[in-house]
Each structure stands twice: as C-alpha cells, then as structure tokens.
Amino acid sequence: MRVADNREAVGHGRLSVVRTDTDGITVLGLDGEIDHQSVGGLTRALSVAGAPEGRRVVIDLSQVTFMDSSGVNALIAAFQSAQAARGWLRLVVVRGAVLRTLQLVGLDTVVPFHPTLEDALASAQPGA
C-alpha cells in the first residue's frame, strides 16, 4: 500500500478532515462533529477528492462523535457523485450514535459500511 505525501489536515470548527491518497483511493479521515456549522469542511474535502472518472473514496467516520442531517446529506451527495463518475464510496462507521443515524436513514443499504479502515481498503482491492 502506497500513501501519497499530500496528506493535509484542515480544521473546520469542531471537525477536522485529513486527506490521504492510498493506491489511487482517496481516504478522508474525519474527527469531531458533523453538523450544519462544520459540514462545509467535509463538502470541500469531497469536492477536492473528486476525479472525473472512476472516483474511489473511503470516508473514515470512526472518530466522528455526532452527525446531524447535514452530514447525512453530504454523504448521500458524495455517494451520488461517486456513482455518476463510475466510481464508488465506502464508509468506515464504528460509533453507535453515528452508525444508528446512518442506519435510520437507510444509508447502510446503499453504501458499503466497514468496521475498520483496513477492511474498507481491502474490499476495494481487485479480487476482494
């Protein structure tokens, strides 16, 4: 697995976003709360992560402690954008409240959820 040197941490209020590119997959590690005040940081990171074709993104929500409908909407938009670009989106979700929120809206039925980042990246490899 190769990790690119363009790791960048950007603070957005109560949410920080760290972007890492690994073997052609953009990984966005989020830490904090995603709500109407902080969702702009996620939205900006997702727009930068987008490639015209074959967009492959893993969003690691394992350090997210709270998410409201703003975060849910951003994840739905990211999923739709990835599909439109013939790519995919995977989520790492382990926290109870965030997991429950995403399950309540049914996102787990359309976007693959993984318990760890390693699992999400392994599922993205050919033959996995």
Side-chain angles (χ1 to χ4, degrees):
M1 179 182 305
R2 186 180 56 76
V3 176
D5 277 339
N6 61 346
R7 178 177 282 243
E8 150 186 352
V10 183
H12 298 94
R14 294 168 301 196
L15 178 69
S16 71
V17 180
V18 176
R19 177 183 171 175
T20 307
D21 292 311
T22 305
D23 294 332
I25 301 167
T26 298
V27 177
L28 298 178
L30 308 183
D31 188 347
E33 298 180 357
I34 305 172
D35 61 19
H36 70 282
Q37 291 179 325
S38 65
V39 74
L42 173 57
T43 304
R44 283 188 293 279
L46 285 167
S47 67
V48 171
E53 288 293 318
R55 173 185 186 165
R56 301 185 307 161
V57 179
V58 173
I59 301 176
D60 185 350
L61 301 168
S62 61
Q63 298 302 309
V64 173
T65 57
F66 173 82
M67 179 184 298
D68 70 5
S69 61
S70 304
V72 172
N73 290 334
L75 293 177
I76 291 170
F79 172 72
Q80 292 171 336
S81 176
Q83 283 212 309
R86 292 187 223 147
W88 51 253
L89 174 70
R90 307 267 189 276
L91 298 178
V92 177
V93 187
V94 295
R95 291 211 183 244
V98 172
L99 176 60
R100 182 73 178 132
T101 298
L102 297 176
Q103 288 173 329
L104 283 171
V105 298
L107 200 58
D108 60 323
T109 64
V110 292
V111 178
F113 282 21
H114 297 276
T116 67
L117 179 57
E118 293 74 22
D119 288 342
L121 292 172
S123 77
Q125 301 307 319

